[in-house]
């Protein structure tokens, strides 16, 4: 594998502003994705909490019904 020798001339003349801009865009995209994932996780937690509350309420009704006098 023949790789060209690193050239210090290229390193000195390379415009890093485009690299910085691409990096800033990539960071912003990942932050946006992180916010979206966090919102989805919160929504999922809320759904689970509501389901647990529903199950708890149902169990309470079952217990209350079991305590009613038989007819």
């Amino acid at each position: 594998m023949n790789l060209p020798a690193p050239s210090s001339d290229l390193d000195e003349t390379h415009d890093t502003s485009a690299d910085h801009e691409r990096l800033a865009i990539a960071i912003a995209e990942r932050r946006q994705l992180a916010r979206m994932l966090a919102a989805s996780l919160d929504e999922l937690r809320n759904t689970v909490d509501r389901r647990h509350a529903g199950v708890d309420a149902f169990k309470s009704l079952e217990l209350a019904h079991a305590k009613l006098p038989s007819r």
Side-chain angles (χ1 to χ4, degrees):
M1 191 153 119
N2 290 334
L3 296 176
S7 171
S8 60
D9 293 339
L10 285 177
D11 293 338
E12 291 174 12
T13 60
H14 182 71
D15 180 18
T16 58
S17 63
D19 292 338
H20 288 282
E21 185 175 343
R22 282 193 296 274
L23 182 58
I25 290 169
I27 290 170
E29 288 172 348
R30 280 160 182 78
R31 285 181 178 161
Q32 175 72 19
L33 180 59
R35 285 191 293 273
M36 291 170 52
L37 289 172
S40 294
L41 182 58
D42 286 343
E43 186 176 327
L44 180 59
R45 284 182 183 141
N46 289 337
T47 299
V48 169
D49 289 346
R50 284 192 305 273
R51 287 189 181 170
H52 282 207
V55 168
D56 291 343
F58 182 76
K59 286 179 181 178
S60 295
L61 287 174
E62 281 184 323
L63 288 173
H65 184 266
K67 292 179 182 178
L68 289 175
S70 303
R71 293 184 187 198

